[in-house]
Amino acid sequence: MRPLTISLSPQQHARLNRAVESGAYASNSEVLREALRLWEQREEIRELELARLKQAYEEGLASGPPVDGDEAFARMRANIFGTKRS
């Protein structure tokens, strides 16, 4: 592995030290590797969500022209009540 120098706030440094001192992690590097794994997972989820949104957008465009909401509700009211109501 390659060494890397990072800067932490005093609060981050203290929290990292507490995690190692408590025995939850064997070293500072282990804490940071875990943090990076979680970040990578979050980024992968974001990419999947973005791809789904893009797909839904494309499907919406392909489904036809936009519908006017007021007009759609007027048609539904007419179907339900048999006349147009305001």
Side-chain angles (χ1 to χ4, degrees), residues 35-52:
L36 285 172
R37 277 192 293 273
L38 292 170
W39 173 75
E40 288 170 341
Q41 288 174 353
R42 188 182 74 201
E43 289 300 305
E44 288 174 13
I45 290 169
R46 281 184 181 177
E47 288 174 14
L48 290 171
E49 289 174 347
L50 182 58
R52 280 192 286 252

Side-chain angles (χ1 to χ4, degrees), residues 21-83:
E21 290 170 1
S22 73
Y25 293 90
S27 67
N28 292 342
S29 293
E30 190 177 304
V31 175
L32 294 173
R33 280 193 298 272
E34 173 71 9
L36 285 172
R37 277 192 293 273
L38 292 170
W39 173 75
E40 288 170 341
Q41 288 174 353
R42 188 182 74 201
E43 289 300 305
E44 288 174 13
I45 290 169
R46 281 184 181 177
E47 288 174 14
L48 290 171
E49 289 174 347
L50 182 58
R52 280 192 286 252
L53 285 172
K54 285 180 180 180
Q55 180 180 354
Y57 176 77
E58 293 298 326
E59 289 172 0
L61 288 177
S63 71
V67 175
D68 178 278
D70 291 336
E71 182 182 320
F73 282 117
R75 277 190 264 145
M76 284 189 277
R77 280 192 297 270
N79 287 336
I80 294 170
F81 299 111
T83 63

Side-chain angles (χ1 to χ4, degrees), residues 9-19 21:
S9 71
Q11 296 85 3
Q12 290 169 325
H13 190 259
R15 181 170 230 157
L16 188 140
N17 283 337
R18 284 194 306 270
E21 290 170 1

